[in-house]
Amino acid sequence: MKILVLMKQTFDTETKISLDANGKIDEAGVNFVVNPYCEFAVEEALRIKERLGAGEVTVLSVGPERAETSIRQCLAMGADKGVLVNTGGLEGGDEFTTAQIVAKAIEKVEYDIILAGFQAVDDGSAQVAPRVAELLGIPQVTVITKLELEDGKAIATREIDDGVEIIEVALPAIFTAQQGLAEPRYPSMKGIMQAKKKPMERYSLADLGLDAGLVGTDGAKVKIVELSLPTPRKGGKIVEGEPAEAAQKVVQLLRSEAKVI
Amino acid sequence: MVPSRPLGWYGDTYVIMWFLMLVVFAVFGKGVYDRYRLWRLGVDEQRFAGFGQGIKNVLIHGIGHKRILREGYPGLMHLFILSGFLVFALGTLAVAVQEDLHLEIYQGSFYLILTFLLDIFGLAAIVGILMAFVRRYVLKPDRLDTTPDDGVSLVLILGILVTGFILEAQRIAITADPWAAWSPVGNALAGLFAGADNGSLKGIHQLFWWTHLLLTFGFIAYLPHSKMFHILAMALNQFFLKEKPAQALAPIDFSNEELEQFGVSKVEEFTWKQLLDTDACVRCGRCQDNCPAYLSQKPLSPKALIQDLKAHLGEKGPILLAQQAAARQRGTASQVAAAGEGAGAVLEKALTGEVIQEDTLWSCTTCRSCEEQCPAFIGHVPTVVDMRRNLVMMESNFPQEAQLAFRGMENNGNPWNVGWKSRADWIEGLDVKTMAEAEEGEVVDFIYWPGCAGAFDNRYRKVATSVVKLLQKAGSKFAILGTEEKCCGDTARRLGNEYLFANLVQENVEVMNGYNVQTIVTSCPHCLNTLKNEYPQFGGNYEVIHHSEFISRLMAEGKLKVAKELGAKITYHDSCYLGRYNDIYEQPRKILQNIPGVQLVEMERHNYRGFCCGAGGGRMFLEEHLGERINLMRTEQALALEPDVIATACPFCLTMLEDGTKAKDVIDHVKTRDLAEILVDVVQ
Ligand code: SF4
Ligand code: SF4
């Protein structure tokens, strides 16, 4: 089985975001990692391959040159090959443009099933994989926590409010991973050593035959007007006193200060 | 008449004796050679520190019993037996020189003194053997496990000693020895044979002579196959000893592209020295008696660990040797395989997982207590870490929680995975410069290294802050690395993630060598040990000082003066990495003793017997699912003294013991505090 994983490289989850002089997010000194949700997808892909005893896991990422380190990280975990679509300078795209690029790149890859993180921890828009599914015209099941494959079809468990939904779809299809799908492994030394030698296909946007006007800031449907940091949270308030008395005070504060009741 | 005693009574049967002796020596030699071949299965390790040093070690620790005598009963017991053994070896040699080389030495005052010593030490050895019997079969301390070999060995030695004395007594009775007074034990026993007629006495004497001889020969032939082999193996181990094997673990050369195995996955991947260790272990159980993992009912006993490896080497080694021999004779692959045939199960047994359980390996806190107590100077910790390396780097198989720590160290240079940019936030308002800021012409005598805990852990930040205040009061000129500092890597290395460790070290060394750092003062004993003893492996050579050492030095120099009294009963908990790893026992105590009003009380387990808090070896970042909680046990040991304060000098100890007082619900009146925090409140 050929398994394709869509992976985004994101800021390390502990990064303190700051803005530069131009009001853009400052990337200086930031660690880049595999988006944790994509990591669940990679792990699930590897487990499927291990269960079946055969198959190939390809990891595809769209981003600047630095995204290669994250692809290598996935290769170190055990994926077989990488595909990097280098956006080289045309980074200002949005979910729409990224989905266009991914869909175009997928033309160069064989697949029976596609996995991705359900969202990225940076912008959290959860759109790219569903859009790709639409562009490819294949089914999608999002936010899954369990995936079972039978010949030609898949049974996925997805999280919904107050419960789970169990969905059967025909393959090929796209599945997006929620936490709980598969706890990612830690690469072994063997994995790290081999990752250096595993194949990596590289494409520029031009290689894919994409018009510069369709990608990057120009092609994006979303225009960023301004970025600002959230106002720092104020310290909490501790209400002292006997329980009954304190509860009364809390209710009062919720009304007068927090204005939530 | 020159004092001596008649020898060679049975000279006409010596031919038989010589023949037997040849056989016995052959059996002995073969036995020793077989063990030697097993050790040689291991990989190389440079342990030779010169003959002089090696012999000195054997004299101090083997003959001199330096460690063995730390414990009264077993120590004396062993001293008695060994000294008897040595004097007898000397006596036998003297007789042999006289009889076989015909050099007349066994006479005169030398004879008298020797015969006297033989009697005294023979008696001591009997006392020692009886003590051993009582201990093993009556007192039965938990740490001893008893096998038939133990009984056989004791009976053999006792038999040799007793028949020796009977022979002497009979000889005295037969010859009416004029110097019998120099053989007090034999002389006293001679009374037993008084009145017997000389003829039949001589017959019995001959019988005993042969019995004595056969027992001795039996002892020699049996030695390489029994626990008594420790006489040789332990001496060798002492010859090649490293005082603290755990202090600096062996690095791996990751630039070597040919390396395919990281860590130890098969017994033959240990070094020859680690394999020799398994034979040097005499199952005394001192290690187990002092192992926090064992004492808290974890599935780890350092003694059992070494013995399990020994048993595995014993079953697998001969098969490997047979395969090697077959391969040497240019056998075909199938012949080589045939040499291992029927042994498939043994060959396939996984070292980590089957021979040694994974939980066993993860239970170790690397506290070094086993190593410190072991009279054979066995390096348990490197052996444990070598197997952890295989689990982590080859199999990616380790307790889940460790992954968080690994990720944190990788991405943010600290095991808590706090964003690295905030590493210097703790100095806000403290008027401390970073090296980057101090570069512009400022004098910096040393860097202060708070470690990950000092930089990120809310509780320990208070300690780092106290240290900084003390340093400032004393007028020290220092800076910190700030966001350029990364985890020292101790946790990664001891959890078996050598690759991560090597990366962290490389980055730290690059930064520090770039600033030409010479001296580091640190608050974390784990950083101390790694920076001081392990960084030199990576080109990082610094003078590294723990804050307790540095502060006590400042006090001695009069740069810090205590201005207030502190009426408090304080017990100091030794950090393993400060104490056992780096011999810093005195300085922390000195700080406390120099505060008027402080009553310093010691727990039963202190100094080199100090009991781990449970957090070493990366265990700080792992859950403790099995057995009792080590930190609670240690807290209870401290609380038994009813202290006002439990003093610590390590971030992990502080966390573990403070958590202990919380769990025991005494946190309100028993404070856990670092020495620096205690001191900063009372200095001028
Ligand atoms: S280092 Fe400590 S925990 Fe580990 S085996 Fe030795 S005594 Fe036990
Ligand atoms: S390892 Fe050392 S301390 Fe432990 S039982 Fe063996 S000889 Fe004794």
Side-chain angles (χ1 to χ4, degrees):
Chain A
M1 173 165 282
K2 297 200 184 306
I3 311 165
L4 173 64
V5 184
L6 310 181
M7 185 272 295
K8 181 175 187 181
Q9 186 184 47
T10 59
F11 279 27
D12 172 53
T13 45
E14 300 304 316
T15 308
K16 242 209 265 168
I17 308 283
S18 55
L19 300 178
D20 63 16
N22 305 321
K24 293 241 171 70
I25 294 173
D26 190 1
E27 288 195 4
V30 166
N31 286 326
F32 291 94
V33 299
V34 178
N35 170 38
Y37 292 99
C38 296
E39 228 177 344
F40 303 143
V42 173
E43 177 64 34
E44 180 65 17
L46 297 173
R47 289 190 195 183
I48 292 171
K49 180 182 157 182
E50 283 161 4
R51 264 201 304 272
L52 298 176
E56 190 186 48
V57 177
T58 305
V59 175
L60 185 151
S61 192
V62 172
E65 190 60 34
R66 59 168 158 76
E68 181 180 339
T69 57
S70 291
I71 298 180
R72 295 266 177 224
Q73 177 79 12
C74 301
L75 297 181
M77 284 172 72
D80 301 291
K81 73 181 216 227
V83 178
L84 171 64
V85 180
N86 195 332
T87 45
L90 290 171
E91 269 86 47
D94 64 357
E95 295 80 3
F96 166 76
T97 59
T98 307
Q100 298 285 336
I101 300 170
V102 172
K104 200 82 185 147
I106 287 178
E107 287 174 8
K108 309 224 175 234
V109 185
E110 283 177 65
Y111 65 89
D112 300 305
I113 180 172
I114 301 178
L115 296 169
F118 100 85
Q119 65 172 354
V121 292
D122 47 14
D123 54 24
S125 73
Q127 286 194 36
V128 173
R131 280 175 180 274
V132 169
E134 287 300 310
L135 289 170
L136 298 179
I138 59 174
Q140 54 172 295
V141 187
T142 55
V143 207
I144 66 165
T145 52
K146 197 173 164 199
L147 183 62
E148 283 162 287
L149 300 180
E150 281 167 29
D151 43 359
K153 64 177 189 191
I155 300 159
T157 306
R158 70 185 296 263
E159 259 182 15
I160 52 171
D161 286 347
D162 303 330
V164 295
E165 206 168 37
I166 297 171
I167 292 179
E168 192 183 299
V169 284
L171 293 181
I174 288 190
F175 301 89
T176 69
Q178 164 66 309
Q179 179 157 30
L181 179 62
E183 204 47 50
R185 71 194 59 194
Y186 189 79
S188 69
M189 258 335 272
K190 207 163 99 208
I192 294 171
M193 301 294 240
Q194 285 173 347
K196 294 179 192 153
K197 299 183 197 125
K198 284 182 179 168
M200 174 89 66
E201 285 171 28
R202 297 157 184 283
Y203 301 106
S204 66
L205 296 173
D207 294 339
L208 295 179
L210 282 164
D211 183 0
L214 273 180
V215 292
T217 332
D218 294 343
K221 306 274 185 203
V222 175
K223 306 285 173 220
I224 294 173
V225 181
E226 195 198 325
L227 287 170
S228 64
L229 296 174
T231 38
R233 234 188 272 185
K234 286 190 215 101
K237 204 173 237 173
I238 292 170
V239 180
E240 311 250 351
E242 289 296 307
E245 195 186 315
Q248 226 166 24
K249 249 191 252 170
V250 170
V251 171
Q252 227 171 39
L253 287 173
L254 284 174
R255 235 186 229 128
S256 60
E257 267 189 38
K259 302 203 168 70
V260 290
I261 50 175
Chain B
M1 201 163 60
V2 184
S4 185
R5 72 174 166 88
L7 296 167
W9 283 9
Y10 310 110
D12 48 344
T13 54
Y14 275 8
V15 193
I16 309 176
M17 181 186 83
W18 285 117
F19 175 72
L20 275 180
M21 192 161 125
L22 272 181
V23 174
V24 162
F25 277 16
V27 173
F28 174 83
K30 167 90 167 62
V32 174
Y33 181 62
D34 282 348
R35 300 312 301 179
Y36 167 79
R37 291 210 310 160
L38 291 182
W39 308 333
R40 291 301 303 266
L41 282 171
V43 300
D44 260 354
E45 179 182 353
Q46 168 42 35
R47 287 297 286 260
F48 183 64
F51 275 107
Q53 186 57 44
I55 286 170
K56 195 171 142 202
N57 296 338
V58 177
L59 288 178
I60 294 176
H61 294 289
I63 315 283
H65 278 60
K66 191 169 170 210
R67 268 196 187 173
I68 307 172
L69 276 175
R70 281 175 176 178
E71 294 186 357
Y73 187 129
L76 282 178
M77 174 190 101
H78 190 270
L79 182 65
F80 288 163
I81 300 174
L82 179 72
S83 47
F85 182 86
L86 291 174
V87 175
F88 276 102
L90 191 68
T92 312
L93 191 70
V95 171
V97 168
Q98 168 103 11
E99 270 206 276
D100 302 318
L101 300 181
H102 306 293
L103 297 173
E104 305 284 314
I105 59 159
Y106 202 47
Q107 51 172 279
S109 45
F110 176 72
Y111 163 71
L112 289 180
I113 293 170
L114 189 56
T115 198
F116 180 72
L117 289 179
L118 282 166
D119 264 41
I120 297 305
F121 281 96
L123 190 62
I126 290 182
V127 170
I129 292 287
L130 293 178
M131 283 169 81
F133 268 113
V134 169
R135 194 153 171 275
R136 187 169 287 280
Y137 298 103
V138 182
L139 303 176
K140 294 188 188 161
D142 171 57
R143 76 187 198 190
L144 292 184
D145 63 300
T146 297
T147 66
D149 172 49
D150 296 308
V152 173
S153 303
L154 286 179
V155 170
L156 258 181
I157 300 174
L158 187 64
I160 294 170
L161 291 167
V162 170
T163 52
F165 275 126
I166 292 177
L167 279 174
E168 181 174 63
Q170 290 170 342
R171 178 187 52 79
I172 291 172
I174 294 169
T175 59
D177 185 354
W179 295 285
W182 291 87
S183 309
V185 181
N187 199 19
L189 291 177
L192 292 177
F193 303 100
D197 79 281
N198 247 6
S200 56
L201 201 49
K202 273 194 172 160
I204 305 177
H205 183 270
Q206 186 164 18
L207 187 72
F208 269 96
W209 189 84
W210 276 104
T211 315
H212 184 69
L213 183 81
L214 290 178
L215 284 173
T216 312
F217 279 178
F219 175 83
I220 297 171
Y222 182 51
L223 189 134
H225 308 279
S226 78
K227 68 182 299 190
M228 292 176 296
F229 189 50
H230 82 274
I231 300 170
L232 278 176
M234 203 186 271
L236 269 182
N237 238 25
Q238 289 167 342
F239 183 87
F240 290 112
L241 79 77
K242 229 192 232 170
E243 197 70 46
K244 302 177 191 310
Q247 194 184 49
L249 299 173
I252 293 177
D253 178 11
F254 289 102
S255 67
N256 178 358
E257 303 239 335
E258 256 135 62
L259 272 190
E260 283 180 355
Q261 171 64 37
F262 301 91
V264 169
S265 68
K266 300 194 186 93
V267 73
E268 65 271 24
E269 286 162 5
F270 282 119
T271 72
W272 63 269
K273 179 61 181 54
Q274 287 172 305
L275 298 184
L276 169 59
D277 275 356
T278 67
D279 272 336
C281 170
V282 71
R283 298 176 16 252
C284 71
R286 288 168 189 242
C287 53
Q288 175 180 309
D289 242 8
N290 289 283
C291 170
Y294 179 81
L295 295 174
S296 62
Q297 290 94 44
K298 311 267 190 294
L300 162 64
S301 149
K303 175 179 88 168
L305 175 91
I306 298 298
Q307 286 299 319
D308 289 347
L309 290 176
K310 175 180 168 129
H312 182 55
L313 178 64
E315 60 178 6
K316 191 177 180 188
I319 304 174
L320 293 175
L321 288 170
Q323 283 184 334
Q324 283 182 359
R328 252 199 315 278
Q329 287 157 7
R330 300 189 184 280
T332 59
S334 67
Q335 275 173 320
V336 175
E341 214 172 297
V346 172
L347 287 177
E348 261 153 47
K349 221 189 222 179
L351 179 67
T352 46
E354 283 184 89
V355 179
I356 305 295
Q357 297 303 312
E358 287 163 23
D359 278 337
T360 300
L361 298 174
W362 296 118
S363 292
C364 178
T365 70
T366 68
C367 73
R368 248 204 104 247
S369 190
C370 47
E371 290 186 0
E372 183 64 34
Q373 323 301 339
C374 177
F377 288 84
I378 285 166
H380 310 75
V381 176
T383 294
V384 165
V385 173
D386 278 342
M387 288 187 276
R388 284 185 176 185
R389 283 178 176 177
N390 175 60
L391 287 178
V392 171
M393 291 191 287
M394 300 306 294
E395 298 181 15
S396 191
N397 170 10
F398 45 80
Q400 247 249 280
E401 314 87 77
Q403 188 157 341
L404 286 177
F406 291 159
R407 288 286 176 100
M409 288 183 268
E410 259 161 38
N411 294 333
N412 286 299
N414 69 86
W416 286 285
N417 198 22
V418 183
W420 67 272
K421 272 194 179 168
S422 49
R423 194 167 185 114
D425 289 5
W426 69 278
I427 49 168
E428 219 180 85
L430 279 180
D431 190 24
V432 175
K433 288 218 163 71
T434 62
M435 278 306 270
E437 293 163 352
E439 271 283 78
E440 283 101 53
E442 231 164 292
V443 189
V444 172
D445 292 332
F446 60 89
I447 62 165
Y448 173 59
W449 179 286
C452 300
F456 293 115
D457 180 74
N458 272 338
R459 176 66 185 86
Y460 212 65
R461 275 181 170 194
K462 291 188 190 147
V463 176
T465 305
S466 304
V467 174
V468 161
K469 285 187 181 153
L470 289 169
L471 295 178
Q472 287 171 336
K473 271 185 209 216
S476 302
K477 295 190 179 63
F478 65 99
I480 64 167
L481 289 177
T483 55
E484 290 185 281
E485 178 185 300
K486 284 206 151 112
C487 176
C488 68
D490 162 79
T491 293
R493 182 169 237 196
R494 279 161 180 82
L495 280 174
N497 198 339
E498 183 69 11
Y499 184 64
L500 174 54
F501 171 73
N503 286 338
L504 289 166
V505 178
Q506 207 187 344
E507 294 182 61
N508 280 326
V509 167
E510 226 165 80
V511 168
M512 288 195 282
N513 289 359
Y515 285 124
N516 195 17
V517 168
Q518 308 284 335
T519 307
I520 306 171
V521 173
T522 178
S523 280
C524 176
H526 295 262
C527 300
L528 171 86
N529 185 65
T530 292
L531 292 169
K532 181 170 167 174
N533 303 312
E534 298 187 321
Y535 273 46
Q537 297 168 349
F538 298 82
N541 296 293
Y542 319 106
E543 184 196 11
V544 191
I545 311 168
H546 185 258
H547 76 232
S548 65
E549 278 179 285
F550 198 73
I551 290 171
S552 92
R553 202 186 290 173
L554 291 175
M555 288 171 89
E557 287 167 0
K559 291 186 180 152
L560 284 175
K561 289 200 185 71
V562 179
K564 277 186 233 157
E565 251 190 53
L566 185 70
K569 188 172 171 188
I570 302 182
T571 184
Y572 171 70
H573 160 82
D574 284 288
S575 145
C576 305
Y577 277 70
L578 208 52
R580 269 191 297 270
Y581 273 77
N582 289 290
D583 290 321
I584 301 174
Y585 299 113
E586 281 311 309
Q587 298 90 322
R589 291 179 166 82
K590 221 178 261 162
I591 295 178
L592 295 172
Q593 281 158 346
N594 278 329
I595 304 175
V598 164
Q599 184 197 351
L600 183 63
V601 286
E602 296 288 4
M603 290 180 257
E604 205 226 335
R605 289 181 187 270
H606 67 280
N607 274 5
Y608 67 84
R609 287 192 66 231
F611 194 79
C612 180
C613 69
R619 289 230 43 105
M620 176 76 190
F621 302 94
L622 305 183
E623 299 288 341
E624 197 172 344
H625 297 297
L626 304 167
E628 248 178 285
R629 297 191 69 90
I630 296 176
N631 70 325
L632 286 189
M633 291 174 67
R634 185 51 164 172
T635 310
E636 278 160 15
Q637 293 169 18
L639 293 181
L641 301 169
E642 302 184 334
D644 302 306
V645 179
I646 302 172
T648 63
C650 167
F652 295 165
C653 300
L654 181 68
T655 308
M656 295 307 263
L657 296 179
E658 196 167 74
D659 282 355
T661 60
K662 228 181 274 170
K664 293 258 132 203
D665 217 6
V666 292
I667 193 166
D668 287 335
H669 59 274
V670 183
K671 299 283 173 223
T672 310
R673 306 188 77 196
D674 189 277
L675 297 166
E677 294 180 289
I678 298 173
L679 187 65
V680 81
D681 284 350
V682 293
V683 287
Q684 247 166 21

Coordinates of all heavy atoms in Angstrom, one line a residue, chain B residues 487-513:
Chain B
C487 N 21.0 22.7 28.2 CA 21.1 21.5 29.1 C 22.4 20.9 29.0 O 22.9 20.7 27.9 CB 20.0 20.5 28.8 SG 20.1 19.0 29.8
C488 N 23.1 20.6 30.1 CA 24.4 20.0 30.1 C 24.3 18.6 29.5 O 25.4 18.1 29.0 CB 25.0 19.9 31.5 SG 24.1 18.7 32.6
G489 N 23.2 18.0 29.5 CA 23.0 16.7 28.8 C 23.1 15.5 29.7 O 22.8 14.4 29.2
D490 N 23.3 15.7 31.0 CA 23.4 14.6 31.9 C 22.2 13.6 31.8 O 22.3 12.4 31.7 CB 23.6 15.1 33.4 CG 23.2 14.0 34.4 OD1 24.1 13.2 34.7 OD2 22.1 14.1 35.0
T491 N 21.0 14.2 31.8 CA 19.8 13.4 31.8 C 19.8 12.6 30.5 O 19.4 11.4 30.6 CB 18.6 14.3 31.9 OG1 18.6 14.9 33.2 CG2 17.3 13.6 31.7
A492 N 20.1 13.2 29.4 CA 20.1 12.5 28.1 C 21.1 11.3 28.2 O 20.8 10.2 27.8 CB 20.4 13.4 27.0
R493 N 22.3 11.6 28.6 CA 23.3 10.6 28.6 C 22.9 9.4 29.5 O 23.1 8.3 29.1 CB 24.6 11.2 29.1 CG 25.8 10.2 29.0 CD 27.1 10.8 29.2 NE 28.0 10.5 28.0 CZ 29.3 10.6 28.0 NH1 29.9 11.0 29.0 NH2 30.0 10.2 26.9
R494 N 22.4 9.7 30.7 CA 22.2 8.6 31.6 C 20.9 7.9 31.3 O 20.7 6.7 31.7 CB 22.2 9.1 33.0 CG 23.7 9.2 33.4 CD 24.1 10.0 34.6 NE 25.6 9.8 34.6 CZ 26.5 10.5 33.9 NH1 26.1 11.3 33.0 NH2 27.8 10.2 34.1
L495 N 20.0 8.5 30.5 CA 18.9 7.7 30.0 C 19.3 6.9 28.8 O 18.5 6.1 28.3 CB 17.7 8.7 29.6 CG 16.9 9.2 30.8 CD1 15.9 10.3 30.2 CD2 16.1 8.1 31.5
G496 N 20.5 7.1 28.3 CA 20.9 6.2 27.2 C 20.9 6.9 25.9 O 21.2 6.3 24.8
N497 N 20.5 8.2 25.8 CA 20.4 8.9 24.6 C 21.7 9.7 24.3 O 21.8 10.9 24.4 CB 19.2 9.9 24.6 CG 18.9 10.3 23.2 OD1 19.7 10.2 22.2 ND2 17.7 10.8 23.0
E498 N 22.8 8.9 24.0 CA 24.1 9.4 23.8 C 24.2 10.4 22.7 O 24.9 11.4 22.7 CB 25.1 8.3 23.6 CG 26.5 8.7 23.5 CD 27.1 9.2 24.8 OE1 26.5 9.1 25.9 OE2 28.2 9.8 24.8
Y499 N 23.4 10.2 21.6 CA 23.4 11.0 20.5 C 22.9 12.4 20.8 O 23.6 13.4 20.5 CB 22.4 10.4 19.4 CG 22.4 11.2 18.1 CD1 23.6 11.2 17.3 CD2 21.3 11.8 17.6 CE1 23.6 11.9 16.1 CE2 21.3 12.4 16.4 CZ 22.4 12.5 15.6 OH 22.4 13.1 14.4
L500 N 21.8 12.5 21.6 CA 21.3 13.8 22.0 C 22.4 14.5 22.9 O 22.7 15.7 22.8 CB 20.0 13.6 22.7 CG 19.4 14.8 23.4 CD1 19.2 15.9 22.4 CD2 18.0 14.4 24.0
F501 N 22.9 13.7 23.8 CA 23.9 14.2 24.7 C 25.1 14.8 23.9 O 25.5 15.9 24.2 CB 24.5 13.1 25.6 CG 25.7 13.5 26.5 CD1 25.5 14.3 27.5 CD2 26.9 13.0 26.2 CE1 26.6 14.7 28.3 CE2 28.0 13.3 26.9 CZ 27.9 14.2 28.0
A502 N 25.6 14.0 23.0 CA 26.8 14.5 22.2 C 26.4 15.8 21.5 O 27.3 16.8 21.5 CB 27.2 13.5 21.2
N503 N 25.2 16.0 21.0 CA 24.8 17.2 20.3 C 24.8 18.4 21.3 O 25.2 19.5 21.0 CB 23.4 17.1 19.7 CG 23.5 16.2 18.4 OD1 24.6 16.1 17.8 ND2 22.4 15.6 18.0
L504 N 24.2 18.2 22.5 CA 24.1 19.2 23.5 C 25.5 19.7 23.9 O 25.8 20.9 24.0 CB 23.3 18.8 24.7 CG 21.8 18.6 24.5 CD1 21.2 17.8 25.6 CD2 21.1 19.9 24.3
V505 N 26.4 18.7 24.1 CA 27.7 19.0 24.6 C 28.5 19.8 23.5 O 29.1 20.9 23.8 CB 28.6 17.7 24.9 CG1 30.0 18.1 25.3 CG2 27.9 16.9 26.0
Q506 N 28.3 19.4 22.3 CA 29.0 20.1 21.2 C 28.6 21.6 21.2 O 29.5 22.4 21.1 CB 28.6 19.4 19.9 CG 29.7 19.6 18.9 CD 29.2 19.0 17.6 OE1 28.2 18.3 17.5 NE2 29.9 19.4 16.5
E507 N 27.3 21.8 21.3 CA 26.9 23.2 21.3 C 27.4 24.0 22.5 O 27.8 25.1 22.3 CB 25.3 23.3 21.2 CG 24.9 22.7 19.9 CD 23.3 22.8 19.7 OE1 22.8 23.9 19.8 OE2 22.7 21.7 19.6
N508 N 27.3 23.4 23.6 CA 27.8 24.1 24.8 C 29.3 24.4 24.8 O 29.7 25.5 25.1 CB 27.5 23.3 26.1 CG 26.0 23.5 26.5 OD1 25.4 24.6 26.4 ND2 25.4 22.5 27.1
V509 N 30.0 23.4 24.3 CA 31.5 23.6 24.3 C 31.8 24.7 23.3 O 32.7 25.5 23.5 CB 32.1 22.2 23.9 CG1 33.6 22.4 23.5 CG2 32.0 21.2 25.1
E510 N 31.1 24.7 22.1 CA 31.4 25.7 21.2 C 31.2 27.1 21.7 O 32.0 28.0 21.6 CB 30.4 25.5 20.0 CG 31.1 25.6 18.6 CD 30.1 25.0 17.6 OE1 29.2 25.7 17.2 OE2 30.3 23.8 17.2
V511 N 30.1 27.3 22.4 CA 29.8 28.6 23.0 C 30.8 28.9 24.1 O 31.4 30.0 24.0 CB 28.4 28.6 23.7 CG1 28.2 29.8 24.5 CG2 27.3 28.5 22.6
M512 N 31.1 28.0 25.0 CA 32.0 28.3 26.1 C 33.5 28.5 25.6 O 34.2 29.5 26.0 CB 32.0 27.3 27.1 CG 30.7 27.4 27.9 SD 30.7 26.4 29.4 CE 30.5 24.8 28.8
N513 N 33.9 27.7 24.7 CA 35.3 27.9 24.1 C 35.3 29.2 23.3 O 36.4 29.8 23.3 CB 35.7 26.7 23.3 CG 36.0 25.5 24.1 OD1 35.8 25.5 25.4 ND2 36.3 24.4 23.5

